[in-house]
Structure formats: structure tokens, C-alpha cells
């Protein structure tokens, strides 16, 4: 700068006499503050800012941004209050910072204090996003609709990002009417051919699909004149979620560019559509690419689930090795939980327990997975030991008790199971759901306590569904309980008139109880209705 030394007075005199030099110095120092912030040297940025002989609005905003990005909300608020002048950028940044810290009320107070001259689409969008990001979608939609007319008259027009946030909020409150209104507004305000409208159009595809309006999602997608990678991923995910896998593959195969999410969507869809082996083959194709598109932790979780579903132990072991090589095991909790389940499904509880023990951090899913695996593999007592540790360490939820009751059911531990069932609400604050009652009915039914199972089913605070009655009917079929079996079969027939389980279950009970005439009549009825042609010898006895 031409000055190597000198007093502060000389420097000040120089700057006053050289306004260009002042501006140049401010610009230079502001850039340095921003660079320090990006490099994580927040303290150096603060020291430089405090030493600046002159500051302008840009330098104040730069320092505010550094403080907010580093999570120093208190310091940012203090600086914000000290700013001699604030502009729209200052308010917007502060609202976004408060939003990230969950201070929604303070953000709204700040938004309401913005002078009309500084209120623009960015501050408006920031406040809408604040509500959306902090699980208050109703308020996000309300703020948009409440201020739309006023701001529109001030020529503050919502942009594509504003509309996309509002659309996601409409989806969260499941208001199809509001979505259609925003859709109409999008057509009115945005140029559909422009790249800038893609955010709103992608949001429309996503929200329509999540509200089960797949035709509307397709209509938006097909009309888009410019599609990005996200557009194709969102539409592909909509098809995959609805198990329209051929349509999903059509988009996948047409993509010139794919990211890891594209592959994950297809693998997840195949897995959900019970085509797990195809998902595994697709995973192998991804591995062979050998470029920047590589599996991530979601990929490994999906594939480990496929291995668990198809009990493909050797393939699962290879995936385990990949996760170690890519530093995802044992530190990544999602991958480790998937490995616990995979080994348990393959019947290797020692390996499952070893993965569980090696996890540096465990969540509720970790505990539930190992409890369920132990119970399913005949280690009911060990499952209850682990369950007690989970309950004592406050690592439990409703699914924990489902796993406990299932373990007791498979292990014949009826007394223990009833104790856990009766203590759920009283001791642990978990209200039993329909699934818990069905688990308890199954436990009693397996033990031959059919009257108790039937009484529990009838005492439920919920209407029994087909799963509940089918569970009781199966128990009656195993233990040959004709009277209760008839009741269960009748209830199941009323709920699902075309379901053959009720007929077949009742026929099996007739066979077991040697009521040959009733069995023949029922089997003839099944033949007349075309429900069965030939009856398998696995359940028909000679009559």
C-alpha cells in the first residue's frame, strides 16, 4: 500500500486524504475477513474487523456472515445491534441464522421489524423457510398467503425458491387444495421454459407424488422444457415408491448423468418391490463404474437390507468388508444397524452380537434389532437380558416392546411377556398399540391359551383388523380349537371377503378335530367358488 510504518494518526490522515485508498483498503480487508471465515479462522476475522479504521455495509455484513456460519449466534446478534445501518441482506442473514438455531419466535420478531424499504423476496423467503425448517409448515403457508397481496403491491414477487418452500410446506400439511393454488400461481409468475423455474417444478413433482397424485406429478414432469438431474431423480423416486419399476427404469436408462442418489432410488425401489436380487446386480454395476459416482452409506444400508431379506450371507460378508475399507464400519450407526439385522436374518447371532458390541455408539434401532434377532433365532432369554439393559439405559420405544413380546412369543415365555405388556404404560410410559396387542395375542395363542388370547383381542381399545383375527385363527388351527376358530374365521371373512385364509384355516381346524362332514362341505364350497382346485396334502387328511 506504500506505507510500511507510521503512527495511527498518519495512517488516518492518509486515508482521509485518499478516498480511493480508503475504499480499496475496505475492499481488501473485507475479502480477507471472508477468506478467514471460509478457512475456519474466525478469531483472525474478528481481530481484523476490530482493527479496521473504516467499515462499510459490506464489511459489516461479511463479519456477520462469518459469525453466523461459525455458529456464534450471540456474537452475531451483538454485532447486528451495533451495526450503524442494516440493509435487506443483514436482516435476511440474521433471520437465517436464528432459523438454524431454532429461534423461530426471535426470527419472526426480527422479520416484523424490517422497514418496508428493506423487506424483499429474500427476507420473506428466509422467514417462510424458518417456519418450514423448524416443523411449522402451517405458519409457513400462512405467512406466504397473509403477505402475498401486500408484498405483491410493493412489487415483491415470490421466486422459484420461495414457491418450492411453500409447496413443501403444503405437502407437510397434506393440503392438495393449497398445492393446486400454488401450482396455478407458479404458472402465472414463472417462465416454465426458464432454468430458474426448475426448483418450483421439482417441488411440484415431489409434493404431488407424496400426496398420491402421481398423474399430476407426471403431467408437470412431462411438460418441463428444461429438466435437471434432480427432476429425473424425483420423478424416478415417485415411480419407484409406487412400485412402477418399469417406468422408473425407463427414466434411469435415459439419463446421461446419474449421481449416487439415482442408483440408490432404483435399488431401494427394487428392494421394496421384492426384487432384491436385481438390486444386488445393480449394485455390482455401480461398483464397476470406477469413477466419481460411488456407493455411499445409504447404498450400503439398502444392499445390506437386500442381503438380509434374501439371507445372502456370503454377499453380506463382502459388503461388510467394503464398509470397513471405506471407513463406514463400525463408526457409522446406520451401516452397523444394517449389519446387525443382516447377520441375525442369516441365523448368525454371534456375528450379529459382535457387530453390536463393536459399535461405539448405539441408538434405539441398534437395541431393537439385536433383541428382535435374538428372539427370532430362539434365544429368548438372552433377548430379555439385552432388553433389560436397553430399558435401564432409556434406549427404548414402542418397537422395543414389539421385539420383547415377539421374543417371549417364540420362546414360550408367557409370564414374562405379560409382565412386560402390562408394565408398558405404567412403568415405561409407552401406550400399547394395535401391534403390541397382536404380539400378545400371538404369544398367548402359541402357548395354547386360546381363551385368554380371544379375551385379550376382544378387550382391545382398537377395532381388531384382519391381522389380529388371522393371528388368532392360526393359533386355533395349530391347537384345534373349533369354537374360537369359527369366530375368528367369521370375523376375518367379514373384513376380507375374498381372503381364503379364513376358509382354509377353518378347514384345517375341522380336519384336526375330526369333523369330517363340515370339512367336506367347506372344501366343496371352496371348489364351487373356484378358490381352490386341488387341496395340498400338507393340511388335508383322509376323510
Amino acid at each position: 500500500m506504500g506505507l510500511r510504518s507510521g503512527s495511527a494518526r498518519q495512517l488516518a490522515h492518509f486515508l482521509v486524504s485518499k478516498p480511493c485508498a480508503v475504499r480499496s483498503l475496505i475492499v481488501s480487508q473485507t475479502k480477507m475477513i471472508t477468506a478467514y471465515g471460509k478457512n475456519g479462522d474466525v478469531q483472525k476475522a474478528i481481530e481484523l474487523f476490530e482493527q479496521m479504521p473504516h467499515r462499510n455495509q459490506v464489511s459489516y455484513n461479511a463479519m456477520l456472515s462469518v459469525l453466523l456460519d461459525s455458529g456464534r449466534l450471540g456474537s452475531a446478534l451483538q454485532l447486528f445491534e451495533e451495526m450503524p445501518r442494516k440493509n435487506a441482506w443483514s436482516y435476511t442473514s440474521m433471520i437465517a441464522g436464528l432459523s438454524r438455531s431454532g429461534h423461530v419466535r426471535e426470527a419472526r420478531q426480527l422479520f416484523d421489524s424490517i422497514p418496508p424499504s428493506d423487506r424483499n423476496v429474500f427476507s420473506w423467503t428466509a422467514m417462510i423457510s424458518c417456519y418450514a425448517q423448524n416443523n411449522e409448515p402451517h405458519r409457513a403457508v400462512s405467512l406466504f398467503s397473509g403477505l402475498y397481496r401486500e408484498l405483491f403491491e410493493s412489487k415483491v414477487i415470490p421466486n422459484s425458491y420461495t414457491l418450492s418452500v411453500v409447496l413443501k410446506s403444503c405437502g407437510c400439511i397434506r393440503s392438495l387444495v393449497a398445492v393446486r393454488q400454488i401450482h396455478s400461481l407458479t404458472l402465472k409468475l414463472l417462465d416454465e421454459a426458464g432454468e430458474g423455474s426448475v426448483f418450483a417444478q421439482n417441488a411440484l413433482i415431489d409434493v404431488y407424488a407424496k400426496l398420491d397424485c402421481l398423474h399430476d406429478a407426471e403431467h408437470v414432469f412431462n411438460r418441463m422444457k428444461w429438466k435437471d438431474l434432480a427432476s429425473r431423480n424425483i420423478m424416478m423416486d415417485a415411480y419407484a415408491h409406487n412400485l412402477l419399476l418399469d417406468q422408473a427404469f425407463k427414466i434411469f436408462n435415459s439419463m446421461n448423468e446419474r449421481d449416487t442418489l439415482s442408483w440408490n432410488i432404483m435399488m431401494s425401489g427394487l428392494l421394496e418391490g421384492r426384487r432384491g436380487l436385481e438390486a444386488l446386480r445393480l449394485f455390482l454395476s455401480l461398483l464397476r463404474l470406477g469413477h466419481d459416482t460411488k456407493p455411499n452409506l445409504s447404498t450400503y444400508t439398502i444392499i445390506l437390507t437386500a442381503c438380509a431379506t434374501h439371507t445372502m450371507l456370503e454377499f453380506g460378508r463382502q459388503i461388510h468388508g467394503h464398509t470397513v475399507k471405506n471407513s463406514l464400519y463400525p463408526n457409522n450407526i446406520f451401516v452397523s444397524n444394517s449389519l446387525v439385522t443382516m447377520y441375525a436374518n442369516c441365523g448368525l447371532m454371534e456375528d450379529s452380537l459382535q457387530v453390536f458390541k463393536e459399535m461405539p455408539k448405539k441408538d434405539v434401532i441398534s437395541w431393537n434389532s439385536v433383541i428382535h434377532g435374538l428372539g427370532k433365532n430362539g434365544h429368548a432369554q438372552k433377548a430379555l437380558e439385552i432388553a433389560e439393559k436397553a430399558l435401564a439405559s432409556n434406549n427404548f420405544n414402542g418397537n422395543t416392546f414389539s421385539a420383547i413380546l415377539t421374543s417371549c412369543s417364540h420362546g414360550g415365555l408367557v409370564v414374562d411377556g405379560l409382565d412386560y405388556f402390562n408394565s408398558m404404560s405404567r412403568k415405561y410410559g409407552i401406550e400399547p398399540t394395535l401391534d403390541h396387542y397382536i404380539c400378545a395375542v400371538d404369544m398367548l395363542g402359541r402357548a395354547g391359551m386360546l381363551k385368554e388370547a380371544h379375551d385379550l383381542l376382544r378387550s382391545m381399545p382398537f377395532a381388531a383388523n384382519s391381522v389380529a383375527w388371522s393371528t388368532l385363527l392360526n393359533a386355533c388351527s395349530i391347537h384345534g380349537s373349533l369354537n374360537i376358530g369359527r369366530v375368528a374365521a367369521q370375523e376375518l371373512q367379514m373384513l376380507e371377503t375374498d381372503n381364503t385364509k379364513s376358509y382354509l384355516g377353518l378347514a384345517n381346524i375341522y380336519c384336526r378335530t375330526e369333523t369330517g362332514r363340515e370339512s367336506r362341505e367347506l372344501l366343496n364350497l371352496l371348489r364351487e367358488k373356484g378358490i381352490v382346485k386341488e387341496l395340498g396334502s400338507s393340511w388335508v387328511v383322509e376323510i
Side-chain angles (χ1 to χ4, degrees):
M1 287 174 23
L3 290 178
R4 297 185 180 180
S5 62
S7 65
R9 183 180 301 173
Q10 289 174 320
L11 177 60
H13 176 75
F14 174 80
L15 294 174
V16 169
S17 63
K18 302 286 186 179
C20 291
V22 172
R23 288 194 295 270
S24 177
L25 181 63
I26 292 174
V27 170
S28 174
Q29 290 179 322
T30 300
K31 288 181 178 179
M32 289 178 66
I33 288 171
T34 301
Y36 282 139
K38 288 181 179 179
N39 292 329
D41 297 326
V42 181
Q43 194 56 43
K44 287 184 179 179
I46 293 172
E47 291 172 0
L48 177 57
F49 179 77
E50 290 176 346
Q51 293 170 6
M52 290 178 69
H54 292 275
R55 302 166 186 155
N56 62 9
Q57 186 69 62
V58 178
S59 54
Y60 270 102
N61 286 345
M63 191 65 241
L64 184 66
S65 180
V66 170
L67 293 171
L68 289 170
D69 290 344
S70 63
R72 302 192 183 194
L73 182 62
S75 299
L77 283 168
Q78 183 179 346
L79 177 64
F80 184 79
E81 292 298 324
E82 294 172 355
M83 292 172 68
R85 188 186 179 283
K86 306 171 183 69
N87 62 8
W89 195 97
S90 314
Y91 287 105
T92 301
S93 298
M94 201 65 240
I95 290 170
L98 289 166
S99 173
R100 288 195 294 269
S101 300
H103 296 281
V104 181
R105 184 172 59 85
E106 293 83 354
R108 182 56 191 265
Q109 290 174 347
L110 180 59
F111 176 77
D112 291 337
S113 73
I114 301 176
S117 59
D118 286 328
R119 186 173 288 183
N120 61 13
V121 66
F122 302 107
S123 57
W124 187 28
T125 304
M127 192 60 232
I128 294 171
S129 298
C130 176
Y131 282 132
Q133 292 165 3
N134 287 279
N135 300 315
E136 297 189 37
H138 281 94
R139 290 192 173 186
V141 177
S142 177
L143 178 62
F144 177 80
S145 60
L147 287 182
Y148 175 76
R149 182 181 297 276
E150 176 187 336
L151 293 176
F152 189 84
E153 290 174 354
S154 302
K155 297 184 179 180
V156 176
I157 311 298
N159 58 27
S160 185
Y161 184 70
T162 313
L163 295 169
S164 69
V165 175
V166 176
L167 283 166
K168 290 176 183 177
S169 298
C170 292
C172 289
I173 63 177
R174 301 197 65 79
S175 174
L176 183 58
V177 173
V179 170
R180 294 201 187 283
Q181 290 176 337
I182 303 300
H183 188 176
S184 299
L185 194 61
T186 300
L187 295 175
K188 178 181 177 181
L189 296 178
L190 301 180
D191 177 13
E192 287 188 90
E195 294 184 19
S197 67
V198 73
F199 294 107
Q201 290 173 316
N202 288 348
L204 275 168
I205 297 169
D206 188 48
V207 73
Y208 274 133
K210 287 177 178 174
L211 293 178
D212 300 319
C213 299
L214 189 59
H215 177 73
D216 295 281
E218 288 177 313
H219 181 70
V220 175
F221 180 78
N222 291 332
R223 284 192 56 176
M224 290 178 71
K225 294 180 174 61
W226 193 86
K227 301 179 179 76
D228 63 3
L229 177 60
S231 312
R232 292 176 170 83
N233 280 345
I234 293 169
M235 192 66 238
M236 186 166 58
D237 183 59
Y239 282 134
H241 183 71
N242 286 276
L243 300 183
L244 299 172
L245 298 176
D246 289 340
Q247 289 94 319
F249 260 122
K250 185 177 180 180
I251 295 177
F252 182 80
N253 292 329
S254 70
M255 295 169 72
N256 295 323
E257 176 191 5
R258 299 177 189 138
D259 59 5
T260 305
L261 178 60
S262 312
W263 291 84
N264 288 351
I265 289 169
M266 276 313 313
M267 286 184 275
S268 180
L270 288 167
L271 181 60
E272 193 175 348
R274 298 185 179 183
R275 293 163 61 176
L277 295 178
E278 290 181 61
L280 293 173
R281 284 195 286 270
L282 200 61
F283 172 72
L284 293 175
S285 298
L286 173 59
L287 290 182
R288 295 189 190 103
L289 290 179
H291 54 64
D292 291 339
T293 307
K294 295 180 180 179
N296 58 15
L297 68 92
S298 295
T299 315
Y300 287 113
T301 301
I302 294 166
I303 293 306
L304 285 169
T305 302
C307 292
T309 302
H310 293 278
T311 59
M312 297 184 67
L313 177 60
E314 291 307 315
F315 198 98
R317 286 195 187 280
Q318 292 180 39
I319 302 301
H320 190 169
H322 270 275
T323 64
V324 173
K325 181 180 178 181
N326 290 282
S327 302
L328 295 173
Y329 177 85
N331 295 317
N332 187 276
I333 198 166
F334 301 106
V335 168
S336 295
N337 285 344
S338 299
L339 284 166
V340 168
T341 301
M342 187 273 294
Y343 283 122
N345 277 22
C346 293
L348 272 70
M349 279 315 303
E350 287 187 9
D351 296 74
S352 182
L353 284 169
Q354 185 63 33
V355 172
F356 180 74
K357 291 175 183 176
E358 290 177 357
M359 293 174 67
K361 290 184 179 180
K362 303 175 179 67
D363 62 5
V364 176
I365 295 174
S366 315
W367 292 90
N368 291 351
S369 299
V370 77
I371 294 166
H372 184 78
L374 285 165
K376 188 175 65 175
N377 283 283
H379 305 285
Q381 204 63 55
K382 181 67 175 176
L384 296 190
E385 291 177 17
I386 300 291
E388 282 298 319
K389 293 179 181 178
L391 295 172
S393 60
N394 203 34
N395 283 295
F396 64 88
N397 59 14
N399 291 333
T400 311
F401 286 93
S402 296
I404 291 172
L405 292 170
T406 300
S407 299
C408 292
S409 179
H410 284 272
L413 305 177
V414 178
V415 175
D416 293 303
L418 289 175
D419 285 342
Y420 281 111
F421 181 75
N422 293 325
S423 67
M424 283 177 60
S425 176
R426 172 177 48 81
K427 188 175 180 180
Y428 299 103
I430 302 289
E431 292 296 328
T433 65
L434 178 58
D435 287 340
H436 294 121
Y437 275 94
I438 292 173
C439 287
V441 168
D442 180 62
M443 177 180 65
L444 292 167
R446 283 174 183 263
M449 302 170 66
L450 299 174
K451 182 180 182 304
E452 291 83 352
H454 187 208
D455 289 343
L456 179 62
L457 191 151
R458 290 191 302 173
S459 70
M460 294 191 309
F462 323 97
N465 61 8
S466 59
V467 177
W469 287 113
S470 181
T471 300
L472 182 61
L473 180 60
N474 289 339
C476 293
S477 178
I478 292 170
H479 295 284
S481 176
L482 182 58
N483 293 332
I484 296 176
R486 276 176 173 160
V487 173
Q490 290 170 358
E491 294 288 346
L492 190 56
Q493 287 167 18
M494 286 191 289
L495 289 169
E496 297 183 357
T497 54
D498 295 329
N499 193 329
T500 62
K501 288 183 180 178
S502 56
Y503 297 103
L504 298 178
L506 192 56
N508 198 22
I509 295 172
Y510 286 147
C511 293
R512 286 181 176 274
T513 55
E514 299 181 353
T515 51
R517 182 177 59 81
E518 289 88 344
S519 181
R520 281 193 295 271
E521 290 176 354
L522 182 57
L523 296 179
N524 287 333
L525 177 62
L526 293 175
R527 290 192 185 96
E528 289 173 9
K529 291 189 173 187
I531 294 175
V532 295
K533 294 181 180 179
E534 294 296 332
L535 298 173
S537 60
S538 59
W539 62 273
V540 177
V541 296
E542 199 64 33
I543 53 176

